[in-house]
Amino acid sequence: MANKKLAQLKQDIKPFESSGTKSSVWQLVNTLPPFFLLWFLAYEAISVSLILSIGLSVLAGGFMVRVFIIFHDCCHGSFFKNRKLNHFVGTVTGILTMFPYRKWKREHSIHHATSSNLDKRGTGDVWVMTVEEYKKSSKMERLQYRLYRNPFVMFVLGPVYLFLITNRRNRKDAKKTERQNTYLINISIIGITALLIWAIGWTSFLIVQLPIAFIAGSLGIWLFYVQHQFEDSYFEDESEWDYVKAAIDGSSYYKLPRVLQWITGNIGYHHVHHLSPKVPNYNLEKVHESIPPLQQATTITMGTSLKSIRFKLFDEKSKTFVHFKEINESL
């Protein structure tokens, strides 16, 4: 994209980058109390009907995704204008969602700076191998990659690994503030879990919490996966990589039903978010509707997004994703 067009695009987006205190507070009000209420109702419903309890937990899991979107905005410093307030709310929502605030903030910033760059993969993104890389890999590396890209492993076992292992450890190069924040969140999660188990018992706690964690974790991984893994997604080597193209062509517009769009905090407008992470989630739709060039981003629906499960490897020659079966003959 020409520098002139890029400058104009940035100018058009700038008015939407400012967070509104009232809008942010209102989002906290319409997200956190309903989540806690659904959690309590799910517990109370155990004595009435296990199915009803699990159903309420599933709804609470949806609100947990919305809590994560608030956490996500705090990581970008876009939820509140006040930096310290973003850190505080980010840490609290990090405890609720079981995500280490400062660690994830750093990793996600790297993801935004390197998204779709084939030479800078590996931090904060989904593991993607190119066809040529796969062909040159050992049998063990191919097996590991195939397991990783298996839907059951990614969307069922993935949340377990994410919540219990990845999110609980600091990176080796983490600074003191980041390490302390992770320790604080870990200790808080252990303390709250122990308190709830003491109050309602192991069985009741697991009946309520497991569906919430599973739904939120699986849906979160799915959203992250599908919005960068679509048929004509943009991937380039460092020498050809372009930030704007990576945002608009490497991130999709996931067109969801209104209810799901609300639950997921407008994150379906992922192309807008990647172009300008400073835009708070409640302004993403406004940006998309107000700036015509952004409406040219690849649109996927709930139906078409299911095709992405078949996408396993990126073919640099055809600039598209392919399935393992499409390359087996040449191995």
Side-chain angles (χ1 to χ4, degrees):
M1 182 177 287
N3 290 335
K4 187 176 181 180
K5 289 185 177 180
L6 174 57
Q8 183 60 50
L9 199 55
K10 288 183 176 179
Q11 185 177 343
D12 292 340
I13 293 176
K14 198 151 188 71
F16 299 94
E17 292 181 337
S18 179
S19 59
T21 302
K22 288 184 179 180
S23 296
S24 296
V25 170
W26 172 238
Q27 191 164 62
L28 288 172
V29 170
N30 64 33
T31 301
L32 295 180
F35 168 72
F36 290 126
L37 177 61
L38 285 167
W39 205 104
F40 176 73
L41 291 176
Y43 164 65
E44 288 292 318
I46 293 175
S47 59
V48 179
S49 167
L50 191 59
I51 294 177
L52 175 61
S53 176
I54 293 174
L56 289 168
S57 289
V58 169
L59 288 176
F63 273 86
M64 178 66 82
V65 173
R66 192 164 165 81
V67 175
F68 177 81
I69 297 300
I70 293 173
F71 164 86
H72 170 259
D73 274 15
C74 289
C75 287
H76 283 295
S78 63
F79 197 66
F80 286 110
K81 294 178 181 177
N82 186 285
R83 184 165 167 267
K84 290 184 178 180
L85 196 53
N86 278 314
H87 291 335
F88 174 74
V89 175
T91 298
V92 171
T93 51
I95 293 169
L96 293 175
T97 57
M98 298 180 68
F99 272 81
Y101 170 69
R102 289 190 179 273
K103 176 191 174 185
W104 199 83
K105 172 182 169 66
R106 179 162 69 111
E107 292 179 345
H108 194 59
S109 295
I110 295 173
H111 161 69
H112 270 262
T114 61
S115 181
S116 298
N117 189 322
L118 290 173
D119 293 319
K120 294 184 177 180
R121 286 166 288 168
T123 302
D125 53 18
V126 174
W127 185 13
V128 175
M129 288 184 77
T130 66
V131 171
E132 289 303 314
E133 288 171 342
Y134 185 77
K135 288 179 179 179
K136 295 176 182 178
S137 298
S138 66
K139 289 184 178 180
M140 181 57 68
E141 289 173 329
R142 290 180 189 177
L143 176 60
Q144 290 175 341
Y145 186 71
R146 280 177 174 270
L147 287 173
Y148 177 89
R149 302 287 296 200
N150 182 282
F152 178 80
V153 173
M154 185 172 287
F155 303 115
V156 178
L157 300 182
V160 178
Y161 184 80
L162 184 66
F163 288 140
L164 299 184
I165 300 177
T166 305
N167 283 357
R168 307 281 66 85
R169 300 183 302 189
N170 280 306
R171 295 171 62 91
K172 291 182 180 180
D173 61 344
K175 294 182 180 180
K176 184 178 179 180
T177 305
E178 183 178 320
R179 290 181 180 279
Q180 290 178 337
N181 182 259
T182 302
Y183 297 149
L184 171 63
I185 289 175
N186 287 348
I187 292 171
S188 298
I189 291 171
I190 292 171
I192 292 171
T193 300
L195 182 62
L196 286 171
I197 290 173
W198 172 79
I200 67 176
W202 271 101
T203 305
S204 295
F205 175 78
L206 292 177
I207 288 174
V208 175
Q209 188 62 28
L210 284 182
I212 292 175
F214 174 72
I215 292 297
S218 297
L219 184 55
I221 292 175
W222 169 253
L223 287 169
F224 194 81
Y225 171 85
V226 77
Q227 296 195 277
H228 293 288
Q229 313 275 312
F230 49 94
E231 192 167 8
D232 299 317
S233 185
Y234 172 88
F235 282 90
E236 282 290 355
D237 295 324
E238 170 69 16
S239 59
E240 300 292 329
W241 184 81
D242 179 81
Y243 180 83
V244 177
K245 283 183 175 293
I248 299 178
D249 297 331
S251 304
S252 65
Y253 162 37
Y254 198 6
K255 192 173 184 178
L256 296 169
R258 276 291 174 181
V259 173
L260 291 181
Q261 181 183 322
W262 187 84
I263 284 292
T264 58
N266 297 310
I267 201 62
Y269 295 95
H270 214 59
H271 58 302
V272 178
H273 170 64
H274 263 262
L275 187 60
S276 180
K278 285 296 182 181
V279 176
N281 71 84
Y282 45 77
N283 282 344
L284 292 174
E285 182 178 10
K286 297 175 185 176
V287 175
H288 177 81
E289 296 297 334
S290 302
I291 304 176
L294 297 181
Q295 296 165 18
Q296 297 173 13
T298 300
T299 301
I300 57 175
T301 63
M302 289 184 67
T304 59
S305 68
L306 296 177
K307 295 180 181 178
S308 67
I309 296 176
R310 296 172 44 250
F311 302 147
K312 306 297 183 180
L313 299 161
F314 185 75
D315 189 343
E316 290 188 80
K317 294 179 180 178
S318 63
K319 302 295 183 183
T320 188
F321 275 98
V322 296
H323 192 276
F324 291 121
K325 294 180 181 179
E326 297 177 55
I327 66 162
N328 278 349
E329 293 182 3
S330 60
L331 293 180

